[in-house]
Amino acid sequence: MEETQRQKKIAGVIQKDLADILQRAATDSGLKGTLISVSKVSVTVDLSLAKVYVSIFPNKDAKALLEGIKAGQVGIRHELAQRTKHQLRRVPELNFYLDDSLEYIDNIEKSLKGEENPIENRDLLDKRKKA
């Protein structure tokens, strides 16, 4: 089902403010050089739930940082409510997910550059076959 204009607008507001909140929290807690961005937000039709896809770079810390974000979800939602109080009557419940598209793209680039080139190394083909 297609998202309504209202859903898209609220998702955009949430995405912009959450990206700022998460990045500021990362720098305040001493995580220099860690980039946290909100790649996508989708809001349900009744505006009660928002799926937030978070992209974290470098990837090695991603799972631990996502757990930290989920643990601080109440504080994050409160901060979001303070920022959007003139735009949203109620802030949706936030569900955070890890967006691993950067890692996926990185793996494709490694394959294309020849580090795992199946044309040169035929043994990789057996590893890549679907069972």
Side-chain angles (χ1 to χ4, degrees):
M1 192 166 149
E2 182 71 24
E3 273 188 321
T4 63
Q5 278 301 114
R6 183 169 170 78
Q7 285 174 284
K8 289 177 186 175
K9 189 173 185 178
I10 290 173
V13 168
I14 291 172
Q15 182 175 4
K16 182 175 126 340
D17 287 332
L18 268 181
D20 190 38
I21 291 168
L22 293 176
Q23 190 60 49
R24 180 167 288 128
T27 53
D28 290 350
S29 64
L31 293 172
K32 300 288 183 204
T34 301
L35 181 67
I36 300 176
S37 65
V38 178
S39 54
K40 185 176 186 213
V41 175
S42 61
V43 182
T44 57
V45 177
D46 63 353
L47 308 176
S48 65
L49 185 68
K51 287 184 178 181
V52 181
Y53 292 92
V54 181
S55 181
I56 301 171
F57 187 80
N59 268 343
K60 60 180 171 44
D61 307 329
K63 291 207 183 344
L65 279 173
L66 184 65
E67 291 305 315
I69 290 170
K70 286 181 180 178
Q73 186 171 353
V74 174
I76 293 170
R77 187 173 179 210
H78 177 73
E79 174 75 22
L80 183 64
Q82 295 300 312
R83 288 174 177 237
T84 60
K85 64 185 172 189
H86 298 297
Q87 295 147 315
L88 300 177
R89 195 174 302 155
R90 291 184 61 213
V91 175
E93 191 71 35
L94 303 173
N95 286 342
F96 291 96
Y97 300 95
L98 190 62
D99 181 16
D100 58 354
S101 58
L102 287 176
E103 184 178 351
Y104 181 72
I105 291 169
D106 193 41
N107 287 339
I108 290 174
E109 283 183 2
K110 283 181 184 175
S111 294
L112 291 175
K113 286 182 181 173
E115 295 170 21
E116 290 185 13
N117 192 341
I119 294 171
E120 293 174 9
N121 187 354
R122 289 288 185 189
D123 297 334
L124 289 173
L125 289 175
D126 295 330
K127 200 167 68 172
R128 291 183 178 196
K129 283 184 182 173
K130 293 182 180 176

